[in-house]
Amino acid sequence: QVQLVQPGAEVKKPGASVKVSCKASGYTFTAYYMHWVRQAPGQGLEWMGWINPNGGATYYAQKFQGRVTMTRDTSISTAYMELFSLTSDDTAVYYCARDTLAGRPDNWFDPWGQGTLVTVSS
Amino acid sequence: EVVLTQSPATLSLSPGERATLSCRASQSIDTYYLAWYQQKPGQAPRLLIYDTSNRATGIPARFSGSGSGTDFTLTISSLEPEDFAVYYCQQRTNWPISFGQGTKLEIK
């Protein structure tokens, strides 16, 4: 079955960066766009952007442009999201979520990884 | 940015009752450009409904979606114990993709 596996947690200091991984299995990794969505504690969902694993093209929400980089390693079917210049406002669970349509972004998300809690604290 | 406002914030119902959750958009959304997700505590969201009214794979028939323009609805015809969770709507009409703030469905 399709699975997206993420590390459980990361702790970072303000000003640092974090790189979250998302290992995919059960499908052809390069066939589906991968999205990243975050959720601050007790809050709603915020879409950050997508990467096309086939070629590496990216599209970021304007809020994160200049501060986020999404990459992938097709040899190990893994997508990455790196966020720079962290502040306490970046404390959140970061999810990867596969697009539902092969070949182009349909912009529905299914399935989701289990999430990585990134805590930014001095 | 399209702002999605969900109501009510919290809905208290009993198993077997009908649940009606609302999602209102700040501007008109293309008919097939709204989805609903369910999130249980400590879990990732799960896609329930896409293209306004299509159930995702494995989603029971008691879940249905409807609406157009700026007003959309998720209906759960007869609540099961496992349906008590937080529900989010999401739009893809305009960038950035955005979500509502959620409706918590709790047991009365």
Side-chain angles (χ1 to χ4, degrees), chain A residues 37 39 43-45 47 50 59 95 100 106-110 112-113, chain B residues 32-35 37 39 43-45 50-51 88 90 92 95 99:
Chain A
V37 178
Q39 185 172 36
Q43 303 300 311
L45 302 164
W47 178 79
W50 56 246
Y59 186 91
Y95 294 101
T100 54
D106 207 33
N107 298 317
W108 303 139
F109 314 133
D110 184 49
W112 296 55
Chain B
Y32 299 108
Y33 283 22
L34 192 103
Y37 297 82
Q39 187 177 33
Q43 296 185 17
Y50 65 95
D51 294 354
Y88 294 96
Q90 177 229 326
R92 63 173 188 178
W95 301 103
F99 294 85

PDB file of all heavy atoms in Angstrom, chain A residues 37 39 43-45 47 50 59 95 100 106-110 112-113, chain B residues 32-35 37 39 43-45 50-51 88 90 92 95 99:
ATOM      1  N   VAL A  37       2.419  20.442   3.985  1.00  0.00           N
ATOM      2  CA  VAL A  37       1.403  21.172   4.732  1.00  0.00           C
ATOM      3  C   VAL A  37       1.836  21.193   6.191  1.00  0.00           C
ATOM      4  O   VAL A  37       2.324  20.181   6.694  1.00  0.00           O
ATOM      5  CB  VAL A  37       0.018  20.478   4.613  1.00  0.00           C
ATOM      6  CG1 VAL A  37      -1.033  21.223   5.446  1.00  0.00           C
ATOM      7  CG2 VAL A  37      -0.418  20.380   3.157  1.00  0.00           C
ATOM      8  N   GLN A  39       0.971  22.377  10.406  1.00  0.00           N
ATOM      9  CA  GLN A  39      -0.104  22.606  11.377  1.00  0.00           C
ATOM     10  C   GLN A  39       0.514  23.005  12.700  1.00  0.00           C
ATOM     11  O   GLN A  39       1.136  22.175  13.374  1.00  0.00           O
ATOM     12  CB  GLN A  39      -0.951  21.346  11.523  1.00  0.00           C
ATOM     13  CG  GLN A  39      -2.169  21.504  12.409  1.00  0.00           C
ATOM     14  CD  GLN A  39      -3.063  20.278  12.357  1.00  0.00           C
ATOM     15  OE1 GLN A  39      -2.604  19.141  12.267  1.00  0.00           O
ATOM     16  NE2 GLN A  39      -4.384  20.503  12.408  1.00  0.00           N
ATOM     17  N   GLN A  43      -3.854  24.381  15.944  1.00  0.00           N
ATOM     18  CA  GLN A  43      -4.306  25.255  14.867  1.00  0.00           C
ATOM     19  C   GLN A  43      -4.718  24.461  13.624  1.00  0.00           C
ATOM     20  O   GLN A  43      -4.707  23.226  13.625  1.00  0.00           O
ATOM     21  CB  GLN A  43      -3.201  26.244  14.497  1.00  0.00           C
ATOM     22  CG  GLN A  43      -2.729  27.100  15.656  1.00  0.00           C
ATOM     23  CD  GLN A  43      -3.849  27.942  16.241  1.00  0.00           C
ATOM     24  OE1 GLN A  43      -4.585  28.628  15.531  1.00  0.00           O
ATOM     25  NE2 GLN A  43      -3.998  27.877  17.557  1.00  0.00           N
ATOM     26  N   GLY A  44      -5.063  25.207  12.564  1.00  0.00           N
ATOM     27  CA  GLY A  44      -5.495  24.579  11.321  1.00  0.00           C
ATOM     28  C   GLY A  44      -4.320  24.234  10.413  1.00  0.00           C
ATOM     29  O   GLY A  44      -3.154  24.244  10.820  1.00  0.00           O
ATOM     30  N   LEU A  45      -4.651  23.940   9.170  1.00  0.00           N
ATOM     31  CA  LEU A  45      -3.689  23.459   8.192  1.00  0.00           C
ATOM     32  C   LEU A  45      -3.251  24.590   7.269  1.00  0.00           C
ATOM     33  O   LEU A  45      -4.063  25.431   6.864  1.00  0.00           O
ATOM     34  CB  LEU A  45      -4.325  22.338   7.375  1.00  0.00           C
ATOM     35  CG  LEU A  45      -4.811  21.139   8.191  1.00  0.00           C
ATOM     36  CD1 LEU A  45      -5.752  20.270   7.380  1.00  0.00           C
ATOM     37  CD2 LEU A  45      -3.623  20.316   8.684  1.00  0.00           C
ATOM     38  N   TRP A  47      -0.944  25.187   3.734  1.00  0.00           N
ATOM     39  CA  TRP A  47      -0.231  24.612   2.597  1.00  0.00           C
ATOM     40  C   TRP A  47       1.028  25.406   2.307  1.00  0.00           C
ATOM     41  O   TRP A  47       1.001  26.649   2.277  1.00  0.00           O
ATOM     42  CB  TRP A  47      -1.145  24.617   1.377  1.00  0.00           C
ATOM     43  CG  TRP A  47      -0.531  24.101   0.129  1.00  0.00           C
ATOM     44  CD1 TRP A  47      -0.346  22.802  -0.227  1.00  0.00           C
ATOM     45  CD2 TRP A  47      -0.039  24.880  -0.961  1.00  0.00           C
ATOM     46  NE1 TRP A  47       0.236  22.718  -1.468  1.00  0.00           N
ATOM     47  CE2 TRP A  47       0.437  23.982  -1.934  1.00  0.00           C
ATOM     48  CE3 TRP A  47       0.057  26.256  -1.199  1.00  0.00           C
ATOM     49  CZ2 TRP A  47       0.997  24.407  -3.133  1.00  0.00           C
ATOM     50  CZ3 TRP A  47       0.596  26.692  -2.390  1.00  0.00           C
ATOM     51  CH2 TRP A  47       1.069  25.774  -3.348  1.00  0.00           C
ATOM     52  N   TRP A  50       4.547  22.574  -3.389  1.00  0.00           N
ATOM     53  CA  TRP A  50       4.702  21.222  -3.931  1.00  0.00           C
ATOM     54  C   TRP A  50       5.999  21.072  -4.687  1.00  0.00           C
ATOM     55  O   TRP A  50       6.646  22.054  -5.075  1.00  0.00           O
ATOM     56  CB  TRP A  50       3.520  20.810  -4.806  1.00  0.00           C
ATOM     57  CG  TRP A  50       3.116  21.661  -5.992  1.00  0.00           C
ATOM     58  CD1 TRP A  50       1.944  22.354  -6.110  1.00  0.00           C
ATOM     59  CD2 TRP A  50       3.829  21.883  -7.240  1.00  0.00           C
ATOM     60  NE1 TRP A  50       1.887  22.979  -7.337  1.00  0.00           N
ATOM     61  CE2 TRP A  50       3.015  22.718  -8.055  1.00  0.00           C
ATOM     62  CE3 TRP A  50       5.055  21.454  -7.739  1.00  0.00           C
ATOM     63  CZ2 TRP A  50       3.397  23.125  -9.330  1.00  0.00           C
ATOM     64  CZ3 TRP A  50       5.434  21.873  -9.008  1.00  0.00           C
ATOM     65  CH2 TRP A  50       4.613  22.696  -9.788  1.00  0.00           C
ATOM     66  N   TYR A  59       6.798  24.654  -6.563  1.00  0.00           N
ATOM     67  CA  TYR A  59       5.914  25.820  -6.473  1.00  0.00           C
ATOM     68  C   TYR A  59       5.656  26.052  -5.005  1.00  0.00           C
ATOM     69  O   TYR A  59       5.165  25.165  -4.309  1.00  0.00           O
ATOM     70  CB  TYR A  59       4.606  25.580  -7.214  1.00  0.00           C
ATOM     71  CG  TYR A  59       3.712  26.801  -7.278  1.00  0.00           C
ATOM     72  CD1 TYR A  59       3.801  27.688  -8.336  1.00  0.00           C
ATOM     73  CD2 TYR A  59       2.797  27.072  -6.268  1.00  0.00           C
ATOM     74  CE1 TYR A  59       2.999  28.817  -8.390  1.00  0.00           C
ATOM     75  CE2 TYR A  59       1.990  28.197  -6.316  1.00  0.00           C
ATOM     76  CZ  TYR A  59       2.098  29.061  -7.384  1.00  0.00           C
ATOM     77  OH  TYR A  59       1.299  30.187  -7.434  1.00  0.00           O
ATOM     78  N   TYR A  95       3.681  18.025   7.513  1.00  0.00           N
ATOM     79  CA  TYR A  95       3.226  16.825   6.814  1.00  0.00           C
ATOM     80  C   TYR A  95       3.649  16.866   5.358  1.00  0.00           C
ATOM     81  O   TYR A  95       3.547  17.927   4.708  1.00  0.00           O
ATOM     82  CB  TYR A  95       1.696  16.736   6.825  1.00  0.00           C
ATOM     83  CG  TYR A  95       1.034  16.544   8.152  1.00  0.00           C
ATOM     84  CD1 TYR A  95       0.451  17.612   8.825  1.00  0.00           C
ATOM     85  CD2 TYR A  95       0.958  15.277   8.736  1.00  0.00           C
ATOM     86  CE1 TYR A  95      -0.198  17.431  10.037  1.00  0.00           C
ATOM     87  CE2 TYR A  95       0.311  15.098   9.952  1.00  0.00           C
ATOM     88  CZ  TYR A  95      -0.258  16.179  10.592  1.00  0.00           C
ATOM     89  OH  TYR A  95      -0.891  15.986  11.800  1.00  0.00           O
ATOM     90  N   THR A 100      -3.289  13.457  -5.551  1.00  0.00           N
ATOM     91  CA  THR A 100      -4.145  12.323  -5.892  1.00  0.00           C
ATOM     92  C   THR A 100      -4.069  11.915  -7.355  1.00  0.00           C
ATOM     93  O   THR A 100      -4.495  10.817  -7.716  1.00  0.00           O
ATOM     94  CB  THR A 100      -5.614  12.640  -5.575  1.00  0.00           C
ATOM     95  OG1 THR A 100      -5.978  13.868  -6.231  1.00  0.00           O
ATOM     96  CG2 THR A 100      -5.835  12.767  -4.079  1.00  0.00           C
ATOM     97  N   ASP A 106      -3.236  17.826  -9.033  1.00  0.00           N
ATOM     98  CA  ASP A 106      -4.684  17.936  -8.898  1.00  0.00           C
ATOM     99  C   ASP A 106      -5.030  18.722  -7.630  1.00  0.00           C
ATOM    100  O   ASP A 106      -6.129  19.224  -7.488  1.00  0.00           O
ATOM    101  CB  ASP A 106      -5.305  16.545  -8.839  1.00  0.00           C
ATOM    102  CG  ASP A 106      -6.738  16.527  -9.352  1.00  0.00           C
ATOM    103  OD1 ASP A 106      -7.053  17.311 -10.269  1.00  0.00           O
ATOM    104  OD2 ASP A 106      -7.535  15.732  -8.834  1.00  0.00           O
ATOM    105  N   ASN A 107      -4.032  18.780  -6.757  1.00  0.00           N
ATOM    106  CA  ASN A 107      -4.133  19.583  -5.534  1.00  0.00           C
ATOM    107  C   ASN A 107      -5.155  19.078  -4.537  1.00  0.00           C
ATOM    108  O   ASN A 107      -5.714  19.865  -3.772  1.00  0.00           O
ATOM    109  CB  ASN A 107      -4.359  21.059  -5.891  1.00  0.00           C
ATOM    110  CG  ASN A 107      -3.205  21.622  -6.682  1.00  0.00           C
ATOM    111  OD1 ASN A 107      -2.052  21.374  -6.368  1.00  0.00           O
ATOM    112  ND2 ASN A 107      -3.514  22.357  -7.740  1.00  0.00           N
ATOM    113  N   TRP A 108      -5.398  17.798  -4.550  1.00  0.00           N
ATOM    114  CA  TRP A 108      -6.021  17.102  -3.432  1.00  0.00           C
ATOM    115  C   TRP A 108      -4.933  16.217  -2.834  1.00  0.00           C
ATOM    116  O   TRP A 108      -4.051  15.747  -3.549  1.00  0.00           O
ATOM    117  CB  TRP A 108      -7.203  16.239  -3.869  1.00  0.00           C
ATOM    118  CG  TRP A 108      -8.325  16.940  -4.596  1.00  0.00           C
ATOM    119  CD1 TRP A 108      -8.997  16.466  -5.675  1.00  0.00           C
ATOM    120  CD2 TRP A 108      -8.920  18.212  -4.298  1.00  0.00           C
ATOM    121  NE1 TRP A 108      -9.960  17.354  -6.072  1.00  0.00           N
ATOM    122  CE2 TRP A 108      -9.936  18.441  -5.245  1.00  0.00           C
ATOM    123  CE3 TRP A 108      -8.696  19.189  -3.309  1.00  0.00           C
ATOM    124  CZ2 TRP A 108     -10.737  19.575  -5.242  1.00  0.00           C
ATOM    125  CZ3 TRP A 108      -9.485  20.324  -3.314  1.00  0.00           C
ATOM    126  CH2 TRP A 108     -10.492  20.506  -4.259  1.00  0.00           C
ATOM    127  N   PHE A 109      -5.037  15.947  -1.537  1.00  0.00           N
ATOM    128  CA  PHE A 109      -3.930  15.325  -0.844  1.00  0.00           C
ATOM    129  C   PHE A 109      -4.340  13.981  -0.225  1.00  0.00           C
ATOM    130  O   PHE A 109      -5.170  13.935   0.662  1.00  0.00           O
ATOM    131  CB  PHE A 109      -3.422  16.247   0.270  1.00  0.00           C
ATOM    132  CG  PHE A 109      -3.246  17.679  -0.175  1.00  0.00           C
ATOM    133  CD1 PHE A 109      -3.728  18.716   0.597  1.00  0.00           C
ATOM    134  CD2 PHE A 109      -2.605  17.979  -1.360  1.00  0.00           C
ATOM    135  CE1 PHE A 109      -3.576  20.035   0.192  1.00  0.00           C
ATOM    136  CE2 PHE A 109      -2.446  19.284  -1.781  1.00  0.00           C
ATOM    137  CZ  PHE A 109      -2.933  20.316  -0.994  1.00  0.00           C
ATOM    138  N   ASP A 110      -3.722  12.922  -0.700  1.00  0.00           N
ATOM    139  CA  ASP A 110      -4.033  11.595  -0.187  1.00  0.00           C
ATOM    140  C   ASP A 110      -3.054  10.585  -0.746  1.00  0.00           C
ATOM    141  O   ASP A 110      -2.961  10.445  -1.973  1.00  0.00           O
ATOM    142  CB  ASP A 110      -5.464  11.197  -0.609  1.00  0.00           C
ATOM    143  CG  ASP A 110      -5.888   9.859  -0.034  1.00  0.00           C
ATOM    144  OD1 ASP A 110      -5.709   9.665   1.193  1.00  0.00           O
ATOM    145  OD2 ASP A 110      -6.377   9.020  -0.797  1.00  0.00           O
ATOM    146  N   TRP A 112      -1.349  11.051   3.442  1.00  0.00           N
ATOM    147  CA  TRP A 112      -0.470  11.958   4.171  1.00  0.00           C
ATOM    148  C   TRP A 112       0.556  11.138   4.955  1.00  0.00           C
ATOM    149  O   TRP A 112       0.271  10.015   5.376  1.00  0.00           O
ATOM    150  CB  TRP A 112      -1.264  12.801   5.168  1.00  0.00           C
ATOM    151  CG  TRP A 112      -2.269  13.724   4.554  1.00  0.00           C
ATOM    152  CD1 TRP A 112      -3.283  13.385   3.690  1.00  0.00           C
ATOM    153  CD2 TRP A 112      -2.400  15.122   4.788  1.00  0.00           C
ATOM    154  NE1 TRP A 112      -4.031  14.493   3.372  1.00  0.00           N
ATOM    155  CE2 TRP A 112      -3.519  15.578   4.043  1.00  0.00           C
ATOM    156  CE3 TRP A 112      -1.701  16.050   5.566  1.00  0.00           C
ATOM    157  CZ2 TRP A 112      -3.927  16.918   4.039  1.00  0.00           C
ATOM    158  CZ3 TRP A 112      -2.114  17.379   5.573  1.00  0.00           C
ATOM    159  CH2 TRP A 112      -3.213  17.797   4.807  1.00  0.00           C
ATOM    160  N   GLY A 113       1.731  11.723   5.157  1.00  0.00           N
ATOM    161  CA  GLY A 113       2.654  11.147   6.106  1.00  0.00           C
ATOM    162  C   GLY A 113       2.120  11.369   7.515  1.00  0.00           C
ATOM    163  O   GLY A 113       1.144  12.101   7.719  1.00  0.00           O
TER     164      GLY A 113
ATOM    165  N   TYR B  32     -15.806  22.145  -8.916  1.00  0.00           N
ATOM    166  CA  TYR B  32     -15.104  20.920  -8.547  1.00  0.00           C
ATOM    167  C   TYR B  32     -13.850  21.189  -7.727  1.00  0.00           C
ATOM    168  O   TYR B  32     -12.976  20.335  -7.631  1.00  0.00           O
ATOM    169  CB  TYR B  32     -14.749  20.134  -9.803  1.00  0.00           C
ATOM    170  CG  TYR B  32     -15.957  19.736 -10.595  1.00  0.00           C
ATOM    171  CD1 TYR B  32     -16.252  20.361 -11.806  1.00  0.00           C
ATOM    172  CD2 TYR B  32     -16.836  18.771 -10.109  1.00  0.00           C
ATOM    173  CE1 TYR B  32     -17.383  20.015 -12.517  1.00  0.00           C
ATOM    174  CE2 TYR B  32     -17.970  18.420 -10.818  1.00  0.00           C
ATOM    175  CZ  TYR B  32     -18.233  19.050 -12.021  1.00  0.00           C
ATOM    176  OH  TYR B  32     -19.357  18.706 -12.727  1.00  0.00           O
ATOM    177  N   TYR B  33     -13.764  22.325  -7.120  1.00  0.00           N
ATOM    178  CA  TYR B  33     -12.508  22.731  -6.502  1.00  0.00           C
ATOM    179  C   TYR B  33     -12.566  22.826  -4.983  1.00  0.00           C
ATOM    180  O   TYR B  33     -11.845  23.628  -4.387  1.00  0.00           O
ATOM    181  CB  TYR B  33     -12.045  24.043  -7.114  1.00  0.00           C
ATOM    182  CG  TYR B  33     -11.419  23.886  -8.483  1.00  0.00           C
ATOM    183  CD1 TYR B  33     -11.683  22.780  -9.283  1.00  0.00           C
ATOM    184  CD2 TYR B  33     -10.561  24.849  -8.984  1.00  0.00           C
ATOM    185  CE1 TYR B  33     -11.103  22.633 -10.530  1.00  0.00           C
ATOM    186  CE2 TYR B  33      -9.974  24.729 -10.230  1.00  0.00           C
ATOM    187  CZ  TYR B  33     -10.249  23.611 -11.003  1.00  0.00           C
ATOM    188  OH  TYR B  33      -9.677  23.483 -12.234  1.00  0.00           O
ATOM    189  N   LEU B  34     -13.415  21.991  -4.355  1.00  0.00           N
ATOM    190  CA  LEU B  34     -13.479  21.960  -2.906  1.00  0.00           C
ATOM    191  C   LEU B  34     -13.387  20.528  -2.400  1.00  0.00           C
ATOM    192  O   LEU B  34     -13.953  19.605  -2.995  1.00  0.00           O
ATOM    193  CB  LEU B  34     -14.781  22.595  -2.385  1.00  0.00           C
ATOM    194  CG  LEU B  34     -14.686  22.806  -0.876  1.00  0.00           C
ATOM    195  CD1 LEU B  34     -14.410  24.253  -0.538  1.00  0.00           C
ATOM    196  CD2 LEU B  34     -15.892  22.289  -0.143  1.00  0.00           C
ATOM    197  N   ALA B  35     -12.657  20.354  -1.291  1.00  0.00           N
ATOM    198  CA  ALA B  35     -12.499  19.040  -0.668  1.00  0.00           C
ATOM    199  C   ALA B  35     -12.724  19.130   0.833  1.00  0.00           C
ATOM    200  O   ALA B  35     -12.709  20.223   1.419  1.00  0.00           O
ATOM    201  CB  ALA B  35     -11.095  18.496  -0.942  1.00  0.00           C
ATOM    202  N   TYR B  37     -11.575  17.075   4.597  1.00  0.00           N
ATOM    203  CA  TYR B  37     -10.672  16.150   5.274  1.00  0.00           C
ATOM    204  C   TYR B  37     -11.167  15.925   6.696  1.00  0.00           C
ATOM    205  O   TYR B  37     -11.754  16.811   7.315  1.00  0.00           O
ATOM    206  CB  TYR B  37      -9.242  16.715   5.336  1.00  0.00           C
ATOM    207  CG  TYR B  37      -8.610  16.906   3.974  1.00  0.00           C
ATOM    208  CD1 TYR B  37      -8.884  18.041   3.216  1.00  0.00           C
ATOM    209  CD2 TYR B  37      -7.750  15.951   3.436  1.00  0.00           C
ATOM    210  CE1 TYR B  37      -8.322  18.227   1.966  1.00  0.00           C
ATOM    211  CE2 TYR B  37      -7.176  16.125   2.192  1.00  0.00           C
ATOM    212  CZ  TYR B  37      -7.473  17.263   1.465  1.00  0.00           C
ATOM    213  OH  TYR B  37      -6.914  17.439   0.217  1.00  0.00           O
ATOM    214  N   GLN B  39      -9.707  14.777  10.524  1.00  0.00           N
ATOM    215  CA  GLN B  39      -8.498  14.591  11.329  1.00  0.00           C
ATOM    216  C   GLN B  39      -8.871  14.172  12.739  1.00  0.00           C
ATOM    217  O   GLN B  39      -9.618  14.878  13.422  1.00  0.00           O
ATOM    218  CB  GLN B  39      -7.638  15.862  11.365  1.00  0.00           C
ATOM    219  CG  GLN B  39      -6.300  15.649  12.057  1.00  0.00           C
ATOM    220  CD  GLN B  39      -5.419  16.888  12.039  1.00  0.00           C
ATOM    221  OE1 GLN B  39      -5.884  18.008  12.093  1.00  0.00           O
ATOM    222  NE2 GLN B  39      -4.102  16.653  11.964  1.00  0.00           N
ATOM    223  N   GLN B  43      -3.395  12.206  14.667  1.00  0.00           N
ATOM    224  CA  GLN B  43      -3.288  11.600  13.351  1.00  0.00           C
ATOM    225  C   GLN B  43      -3.200  12.659  12.262  1.00  0.00           C
ATOM    226  O   GLN B  43      -3.553  13.820  12.468  1.00  0.00           O
ATOM    227  CB  GLN B  43      -4.499  10.699  13.077  1.00  0.00           C
ATOM    228  CG  GLN B  43      -4.613   9.504  13.996  1.00  0.00           C
ATOM    229  CD  GLN B  43      -5.766   8.586  13.604  1.00  0.00           C
ATOM    230  OE1 GLN B  43      -6.292   8.653  12.496  1.00  0.00           O
ATOM    231  NE2 GLN B  43      -6.152   7.717  14.517  1.00  0.00           N
ATOM    232  N   ALA B  44      -2.733  12.223  11.098  1.00  0.00           N
ATOM    233  CA  ALA B  44      -2.734  13.096   9.931  1.00  0.00           C
ATOM    234  C   ALA B  44      -4.155  13.218   9.378  1.00  0.00           C
ATOM    235  O   ALA B  44      -5.002  12.351   9.612  1.00  0.00           O
ATOM    236  CB  ALA B  44      -1.805  12.530   8.861  1.00  0.00           C
ATOM    237  N   PRO B  45      -4.427  14.275   8.659  1.00  0.00           N
ATOM    238  CA  PRO B  45      -5.739  14.375   7.999  1.00  0.00           C
ATOM    239  C   PRO B  45      -5.927  13.255   6.986  1.00  0.00           C
ATOM    240  O   PRO B  45      -4.957  12.672   6.487  1.00  0.00           O
ATOM    241  CB  PRO B  45      -5.670  15.743   7.299  1.00  0.00           C
ATOM    242  CG  PRO B  45      -4.648  16.515   8.078  1.00  0.00           C
ATOM    243  CD  PRO B  45      -3.635  15.488   8.493  1.00  0.00           C
ATOM    244  N   TYR B  50     -13.694  14.952  -2.437  1.00  0.00           N
ATOM    245  CA  TYR B  50     -12.986  15.835  -3.362  1.00  0.00           C
ATOM    246  C   TYR B  50     -13.931  16.230  -4.490  1.00  0.00           C
ATOM    247  O   TYR B  50     -14.982  15.621  -4.671  1.00  0.00           O
ATOM    248  CB  TYR B  50     -11.722  15.157  -3.907  1.00  0.00           C
ATOM    249  CG  TYR B  50     -11.997  13.940  -4.762  1.00  0.00           C
ATOM    250  CD1 TYR B  50     -12.072  14.023  -6.146  1.00  0.00           C
ATOM    251  CD2 TYR B  50     -12.199  12.679  -4.175  1.00  0.00           C
ATOM    252  CE1 TYR B  50     -12.331  12.916  -6.920  1.00  0.00           C
ATOM    253  CE2 TYR B  50     -12.466  11.567  -4.940  1.00  0.00           C
ATOM    254  CZ  TYR B  50     -12.526  11.688  -6.320  1.00  0.00           C
ATOM    255  OH  TYR B  50     -12.798  10.584  -7.098  1.00  0.00           O
ATOM    256  N   ASP B  51     -13.538  17.256  -5.242  1.00  0.00           N
ATOM    257  CA  ASP B  51     -14.399  17.770  -6.312  1.00  0.00           C
ATOM    258  C   ASP B  51     -15.818  18.033  -5.794  1.00  0.00           C
ATOM    259  O   ASP B  51     -16.796  17.746  -6.480  1.00  0.00           O
ATOM    260  CB  ASP B  51     -14.443  16.803  -7.489  1.00  0.00           C
ATOM    261  CG  ASP B  51     -13.102  16.658  -8.197  1.00  0.00           C
ATOM    262  OD1 ASP B  51     -12.164  17.399  -7.837  1.00  0.00           O
ATOM    263  OD2 ASP B  51     -12.982  15.810  -9.098  1.00  0.00           O
ATOM    264  N   TYR B  88     -11.976  19.606   8.061  1.00  0.00           N
ATOM    265  CA  TYR B  88     -11.466  20.785   7.369  1.00  0.00           C
ATOM    266  C   TYR B  88     -11.947  20.781   5.917  1.00  0.00           C
ATOM    267  O   TYR B  88     -11.930  19.730   5.257  1.00  0.00           O
ATOM    268  CB  TYR B  88      -9.936  20.796   7.358  1.00  0.00           C
ATOM    269  CG  TYR B  88      -9.290  20.951   8.700  1.00  0.00           C
ATOM    270  CD1 TYR B  88      -8.855  19.844   9.422  1.00  0.00           C
ATOM    271  CD2 TYR B  88      -9.087  22.217   9.255  1.00  0.00           C
ATOM    272  CE1 TYR B  88      -8.248  19.981  10.661  1.00  0.00           C
ATOM    273  CE2 TYR B  88      -8.476  22.362  10.499  1.00  0.00           C
ATOM    274  CZ  TYR B  88      -8.063  21.240  11.187  1.00  0.00           C
ATOM    275  OH  TYR B  88      -7.468  21.396  12.423  1.00  0.00           O
ATOM    276  N   GLN B  90     -11.104  22.516   2.082  1.00  0.00           N
ATOM    277  CA  GLN B  90      -9.922  22.994   1.364  1.00  0.00           C
ATOM    278  C   GLN B  90     -10.329  23.386  -0.048  1.00  0.00           C
ATOM    279  O   GLN B  90     -11.119  22.689  -0.682  1.00  0.00           O
ATOM    280  CB  GLN B  90      -8.856  21.906   1.295  1.00  0.00           C
ATOM    281  CG  GLN B  90      -7.605  22.291   0.497  1.00  0.00           C
ATOM    282  CD  GLN B  90      -7.190  21.254  -0.517  1.00  0.00           C
ATOM    283  OE1 GLN B  90      -7.338  20.051  -0.313  1.00  0.00           O
ATOM    284  NE2 GLN B  90      -6.646  21.705  -1.644  1.00  0.00           N
ATOM    285  N   ARG B  92      -8.960  24.742  -4.034  1.00  0.00           N
ATOM    286  CA  ARG B  92      -7.819  24.779  -4.951  1.00  0.00           C
ATOM    287  C   ARG B  92      -8.094  25.712  -6.141  1.00  0.00           C
ATOM    288  O   ARG B  92      -7.395  25.633  -7.133  1.00  0.00           O
ATOM    289  CB  ARG B  92      -7.506  23.375  -5.465  1.00  0.00           C
ATOM    290  CG  ARG B  92      -8.647  22.767  -6.273  1.00  0.00           C
ATOM    291  CD  ARG B  92      -8.258  21.452  -6.924  1.00  0.00           C
ATOM    292  NE  ARG B  92      -9.305  20.998  -7.839  1.00  0.00           N
ATOM    293  CZ  ARG B  92      -9.247  19.911  -8.575  1.00  0.00           C
ATOM    294  NH1 ARG B  92      -8.183  19.140  -8.512  1.00  0.00           N
ATOM    295  NH2 ARG B  92     -10.236  19.570  -9.378  1.00  0.00           N
ATOM    296  N   TRP B  95      -4.507  30.320  -5.932  1.00  0.00           N
ATOM    297  CA  TRP B  95      -3.313  30.181  -5.091  1.00  0.00           C
ATOM    298  C   TRP B  95      -3.311  31.291  -4.043  1.00  0.00           C
ATOM    299  O   TRP B  95      -3.697  32.409  -4.333  1.00  0.00           O
ATOM    300  CB  TRP B  95      -2.048  30.287  -5.950  1.00  0.00           C
ATOM    301  CG  TRP B  95      -1.972  29.262  -7.004  1.00  0.00           C
ATOM    302  CD1 TRP B  95      -2.228  29.422  -8.334  1.00  0.00           C
ATOM    303  CD2 TRP B  95      -1.658  27.859  -6.840  1.00  0.00           C
ATOM    304  NE1 TRP B  95      -2.076  28.229  -8.983  1.00  0.00           N
ATOM    305  CE2 TRP B  95      -1.731  27.256  -8.110  1.00  0.00           C
ATOM    306  CE3 TRP B  95      -1.328  27.059  -5.732  1.00  0.00           C
ATOM    307  CZ2 TRP B  95      -1.472  25.897  -8.295  1.00  0.00           C
ATOM    308  CZ3 TRP B  95      -1.069  25.718  -5.930  1.00  0.00           C
ATOM    309  CH2 TRP B  95      -1.144  25.153  -7.199  1.00  0.00           C
ATOM    310  N   PHE B  99      -7.140  26.237   3.536  1.00  0.00           N
ATOM    311  CA  PHE B  99      -8.026  25.395   4.327  1.00  0.00           C
ATOM    312  C   PHE B  99      -8.893  26.277   5.226  1.00  0.00           C
ATOM    313  O   PHE B  99      -8.488  27.387   5.611  1.00  0.00           O
ATOM    314  CB  PHE B  99      -7.215  24.467   5.238  1.00  0.00           C
ATOM    315  CG  PHE B  99      -6.394  23.432   4.526  1.00  0.00           C
ATOM    316  CD1 PHE B  99      -5.119  23.746   4.056  1.00  0.00           C
ATOM    317  CD2 PHE B  99      -6.872  22.148   4.335  1.00  0.00           C
ATOM    318  CE1 PHE B  99      -4.343  22.787   3.411  1.00  0.00           C
ATOM    319  CE2 PHE B  99      -6.112  21.185   3.697  1.00  0.00           C
ATOM    320  CZ  PHE B  99      -4.840  21.510   3.232  1.00  0.00           C
TER     321      PHE B  99
END
